[in-house]
Amino acid sequence: MSTIVVVEDEPAIAELIAINLRHAGHEVTLAATAEQAQREIDAMLPDLVVLDWMLPGQSGLALARQWRNDPRTRELPIIMLTARSEEADKVSGLDAGADDYLTKPFSTNELMARIRAVLRRKAPEALDDVVEVAGLRLDPATRRISCGERELKMGPTEFRLLHFLMTHPERVHSRSQLLDRVWGDHVFIEERTVDVHVKRLREALAPGERAWMIETVRGAGYRLTHQAGVTAA
Ligand code: CA
């Protein structure tokens, strides 16, 4: 399940988008102004923002630029909406840091498809797609993990951690990155908490003989690998 902030000052359009997103299983927060949107983002980083260009006061375009200049929101997936259809506007929207751009009036099916595409590219852990790495299969919709015929049991935190690692395999994640992406960036937890959950995750994977997939990369963090027998330096 993913969290999406919809920034749109026209209530009818905002509601239409919200209904469709909720129907697709997303958690939606609405904001009608740039200031309200900023407050939502300050409180909790969502998985994606649908951002209208024309807002009362500060424009969506200026807001997108502002987010791209802040390290905390630099990677935030943004889909920009606009009533303008000129090529130059599309270019400024993408230049300001939007990941995609949609001209009004748009079909909600198209918006849903674009949202999935952007999430798949930038935050695949926010989607309910089944992930499979090295015979290990994780289904977010049914919350089941299996290895061949064997079902593996684990707690909700280990599940989220594994989901994040499986959707970003072979990459090294520091403890603070894992805290931000798995626990949420406004949660104050000590970094060693990550080690505790990694240990539990390896224990949960052991019955499927997959504990080796979670590698410790000394001085850097953790990595999920699909190749057995490759030890980290
Ligand atoms: Ca508007």
Side-chain angles (χ1 to χ4, degrees):
M1 194 205 50
S2 52
T3 53
I4 298 181
V5 171
V6 176
V7 191
E8 166 64 81
D9 59 309
E10 289 155 79
I13 298 177
E15 262 322 304
L16 181 69
I17 297 173
I19 286 167
N20 280 278
L21 284 173
R22 286 181 184 130
H23 187 71
H26 303 286
E27 196 175 293
V28 182
T29 307
L30 295 176
T33 64
E35 293 70 27
Q36 216 180 322
Q38 188 61 57
R39 275 202 298 279
E40 293 298 340
I41 301 291
D42 287 343
M44 195 198 69
L45 264 189
D47 293 305
L48 182 137
V49 177
V50 176
L51 178 61
D52 187 30
W53 179 316
M54 299 300 280
L55 296 169
Q58 190 186 12
S59 76
L61 192 73
L63 191 56
R65 281 210 187 92
Q66 185 179 309
W67 286 339
R68 285 299 176 250
N69 287 324
D70 180 344
R72 183 168 170 257
T73 46
R74 188 163 292 151
E75 297 296 322
L76 180 63
I78 301 171
I79 295 182
M80 196 121 204
L81 302 180
T82 177
R84 310 162 175 225
S85 61
E86 281 161 39
E87 190 60 25
D89 288 335
K90 180 171 179 168
V91 172
S92 5
L94 296 173
D95 274 354
D99 295 283
D100 204 350
Y101 183 100
L102 219 54
T103 305
K104 292 178 186 173
F106 53 83
S107 81
T108 47
N109 281 344
E110 180 164 17
L111 176 62
M112 296 305 128
R114 302 279 188 105
I115 286 173
R116 285 191 76 79
V118 170
L119 285 176
R120 191 165 291 129
R121 199 168 76 235
K122 293 191 80 179
E125 75 280 7
L127 289 172
D128 271 355
D129 295 347
V130 170
V131 214
E132 200 161 348
V133 181
L136 187 66
R137 187 177 189 277
L138 181 146
D139 185 347
T142 59
R143 300 195 71 81
R144 284 214 163 107
I145 300 157
S146 56
C147 192
E149 296 294 296
R150 186 189 284 267
E151 193 166 326
L152 303 177
K153 297 284 178 200
M154 62 185 69
T157 305
E158 287 72 49
F159 185 94
R160 285 204 312 278
L161 179 60
L162 181 62
H163 191 199
F164 178 78
L165 291 170
M166 285 179 79
T167 47
H168 301 82
E170 306 300 336
R171 260 184 270 170
V172 181
H173 308 280
S174 69
R175 288 167 178 80
S176 80
Q177 282 168 339
L178 288 172
L179 281 176
D180 281 357
R181 300 292 295 270
V182 177
W183 278 260
D185 83 320
H186 265 43
V187 181
F188 297 96
I189 308 176
E190 288 183 64
E191 292 198 351
R192 65 164 180 236
T193 304
V194 176
D195 303 334
V196 172
H197 288 280
V198 165
K199 182 169 177 281
R200 284 188 200 154
L201 177 56
R202 284 183 177 134
E203 286 163 4
L205 293 173
E209 291 173 3
R210 287 295 179 280
W212 57 264
M213 290 178 76
I214 314 295
E215 290 185 337
T216 304
V217 182
R218 197 167 304 165
Y222 294 103
R223 162 171 62 202
L224 180 133
T225 185
H226 68 280
Q227 251 184 313
V230 181
T231 33

